[in-house]
């Protein structure tokens, strides 16, 4: 499907180039038009991934790119079982060599497997802020250590409310969980908002069952 879309896109570009050439448009103007098209496409991608609040757009993007490891994990979080999510995370761990990505997903996997020992080991090796502090605060919240679950290094506005939601879930406070989960989701954008929505839904489902 992606090859077909790219084929049509390049054919459209070629046809546009021919049209501009036949119309006598100068090369500099033609190049300017193509540059504007390229910038527009790049901006659209950045907007969907990092800026939008339109989750339908993000969901469509995730579905269309689910063969890529990170988007496959996002797709699994929205539509897959816990086992499928862990399998998708394993692919990321083996695919990416950058320590921050590798150990961040090792941390996420350990959390999903309820292995706090492995989560602590992974968290200390992420070695990139604010991810390291977020992971350590997350562990503190799971362990009920309220004094250790807050940090000035949680520089993304969605992070601290997310930690508070984890703590509320840990102590089975459903009202505060929903309040902080909503606050975290409200502060996030793009694929981060998408991930939070589905992760909090899974947590809430477990909280209701408890």
């Amino acid at each position: 499907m992606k090859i077909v879309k790219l084929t049509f896109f390049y054919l459209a570009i070629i046809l546009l180039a021919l049209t501009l050439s036949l119309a006598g448009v100068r090369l500099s103007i033609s190049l300017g038009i193509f540059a504007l098209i390229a910038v527009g496409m790049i901006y659209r991608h950045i907007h969907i991934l990092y800026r939008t609040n339109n989750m339908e757009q993000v969901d469509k993007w995730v579905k269309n790119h689910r063969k890529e490891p990170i988007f496959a994990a996002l797709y699994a979080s929205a539509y897959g079982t816990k086992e499928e999510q862990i399998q998708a995370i394993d692919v990321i761990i083996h695919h990416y060599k950058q320590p921050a990505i590798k150990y961040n997903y090792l941390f996420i996997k350990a959390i999903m497997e309820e292995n706090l020992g492995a989560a602590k080991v992974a968290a200390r090796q992420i070695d990139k802020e604010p991810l390291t502090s977020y992971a350590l605060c997350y562990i503190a919240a799971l362990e009920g250590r309220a004094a250790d679950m807050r940090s000035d290094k949680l520089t993304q506005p969605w992070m601290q409310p997310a930690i508070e939601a984890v703590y509320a879930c840990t102590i089975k406070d459903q009202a505060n969980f929903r309040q902080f989960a909503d606050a975290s989701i409200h502060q996030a954008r793009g694929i981060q908002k998408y991930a939070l929505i589905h992760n909090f839904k899974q947590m809430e489902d477990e909280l209701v069952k408890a």
Side-chain angles (χ1 to χ4, degrees), residues 144-161:
R145 294 184 285 111
D148 298 323
M149 67 183 200
R150 297 178 182 91
S151 171
D152 293 337
K153 294 180 180 179
L154 302 183
T155 52
Q156 295 297 316
W158 60 267
M159 286 183 163
Q160 192 62 62

Side-chain angles (χ1 to χ4, degrees), residues 66-186:
R66 63 181 182 270
K67 290 187 177 179
E68 299 171 28
I70 288 178
F71 295 111
L74 282 170
Y75 181 84
S77 74
Y79 297 103
T81 63
K82 184 175 181 178
E83 289 71 25
E84 288 169 337
Q85 291 176 57
I86 291 172
Q87 289 172 7
I89 289 169
D90 276 331
V91 172
I92 294 173
I93 291 167
H94 290 98
H95 181 81
Y96 292 96
K97 305 305 179 187
Q98 300 95 316
I101 297 175
K102 184 182 185 72
Y103 289 109
N104 186 50
Y105 279 94
L106 278 168
F107 165 77
I108 293 170
K109 180 184 178 183
I111 292 297
M112 294 190 69
E113 294 176 335
E114 299 181 12
N115 186 342
L116 280 181
K120 290 176 182 178
V121 171
R124 295 189 187 99
Q125 296 184 79
I126 293 173
D127 197 28
K128 184 175 182 179
E129 293 295 353
L131 295 176
T132 301
S133 292
Y134 181 75
L136 294 173
C137 289
Y138 199 108
I139 291 167
L142 287 175
E143 292 181 333
R145 294 184 285 111
D148 298 323
M149 67 183 200
R150 297 178 182 91
S151 171
D152 293 337
K153 294 180 180 179
L154 302 183
T155 52
Q156 295 297 316
W158 60 267
M159 286 183 163
Q160 192 62 62
I163 297 298
E164 301 289 347
V166 172
Y167 178 72
C169 186
T170 300
I171 63 174
K172 297 179 170 47
D173 183 344
Q174 194 169 350
N176 271 326
F177 168 78
R178 192 65 263 167
Q179 176 187 337
F180 286 115
D182 287 343
S184 180
I185 291 168
H186 177 73

Side-chain angles (χ1 to χ4, degrees), residues 11-37:
L11 282 173
I13 290 293
I14 292 168
L15 286 172
L16 178 60
L18 286 171
T19 302
L20 291 172
S21 177
L22 291 171
V25 177
R26 286 188 301 174
L27 178 61
S28 60
I29 295 175
S30 298
L31 291 174
I33 291 171
F34 291 133
L36 285 173
I37 293 171

